[in-house]
Amino acid sequence: LKEAPVSELHDLLCKKLQQCCILFDFLDCVADLKGKEIKRAALNELVECVATNRGILIEPLYPEIIKMISVNIFRTLPPSENPEFDPEEDEPNLEPSWPHLQLVYEFFLRFLESPDFQPTVAKRYIDQKFVLLLLDLFDSEDPREREYLKTILHRVYGKFLGLRAYIRKQCNNIFLRFIYETEHFNGVAELLEILGSIINGFALPLKTEHKQFLVRVLIPLHSVKSLSIFHAQLAYCVVQFLEKDATLTEHVIRGLLKYWPKTCTQKEVMFLGEIEEILDVIEPSQFVKIQEPLFRQVARCIASPHFQVAERALYFWNNEYILSLVEDNCHAVLPTVFGTLYHVSKEHWN
Amino acid sequence: PQKKKKPKLPKSPAPHFAMPPIHEDHLEKI
């Protein structure tokens, strides 16, 4: 591609794209090594070419580009061999064809980020069906693949205004299926990272659709067993919402209290962390609405026999801003916690 | 004397995974 005269460049580019539609079996790592190397080199050239040349992306190339990408990335993901796969403990199954797949993703990203990229042309090919297939790939066990998918979907969401509502709706469906049906989806954290940037960019006043997403999806997400894998991203989304619209605070706090873990202390520590993040941004006028039910729960945590839970709850008093809120409202807060504090100071084993 | 209220903490820095915000656009299809 580098040496080709400009007149022949587009034809050559087209041929290389078609060449890269050939798929190889990486499970048999000795099979067809020569062919694999030819494709790897061709993909490298394509990445280089789109990344460095201007005026390359002419309209007729768009369908060829999308076809090559689709043929390579859209596939049925292998079933997780270990049904008891614990994302926190076990090593994920990495994608065997990664040597090629990575370059296809890299090429796709360069294509989307090229100054010559035209969404008006690309939207014929990057449509709702394409996006649905892309979202399915977020269930891949390979974190490297999910990282690329996250960046790609973030760019697609940004550049294709007509797809935004559809993407939000499909993410909704993935989360709801995850919460209420399968409790198994590998890309929840990545999707929440994208949603964090979307929430951050919401216009005010918030649309009802967005508030419903908080109430119907983000809060119930706290009830899932594998919360620890995506809690940081989930808490970030919740806090983004409250910074956008503080009137949602009461609903969020009551939702967390409703889903408060009863038997998983690790989750309880996460919930306390999230509560502190919320209190860090809370308006005093909102604090007074939830102080009593909230500090009744904090008091229960202080009395927890699990010392990490008790410690994390007591740690609220190390936060200057929370301290000032409690001081301003000690007539309401003190009665809910003092009895427990006194009892714990005498009886707690640790 | 009126106790000076402690100011709210400055906005905590975005976590490492935060991605650039995408601003909602009124042209988006509902």
Side-chain angles (χ1 to χ4, degrees), chain A residues 154 161 164-165 168 193 197 201-203 207 210 236 243 280-283 320-321 327-328, chain B residues 3 5-9 11 14-15 17-25 27-30:
Chain A
H154 183 270
L161 265 59
R164 289 185 173 183
R168 289 197 304 272
E193 284 177 30
S197 69
F202 277 157
K207 286 185 192 147
H210 301 328
Y236 179 64
E243 291 194 302
D280 271 340
V281 299
I282 201 169
E283 300 288 342
E320 290 268 329
Y321 182 57
E327 277 167 9
D328 292 351
Chain B
K3 217 160 67 104
K5 230 183 109 2
K6 288 189 184 59
K8 208 159 45 158
L9 291 172
K11 198 160 187 284
F17 55 74
M19 303 179 84
I22 304 172
H23 294 292
E24 193 169 22
D25 189 300
L27 291 175
E28 286 174 40
K29 258 197 262 159
I30 303 302

Side-chain angles (χ1 to χ4, degrees), chain A residues 278-295:
Chain A
I278 291 169
L279 292 179
D280 271 340
V281 299
I282 201 169
E283 300 288 342
S285 57
Q286 296 296 332
F287 180 79
V288 295
K289 293 180 187 168
I290 45 88
Q291 59 193 354
E292 269 149 41
L294 174 61
F295 277 87

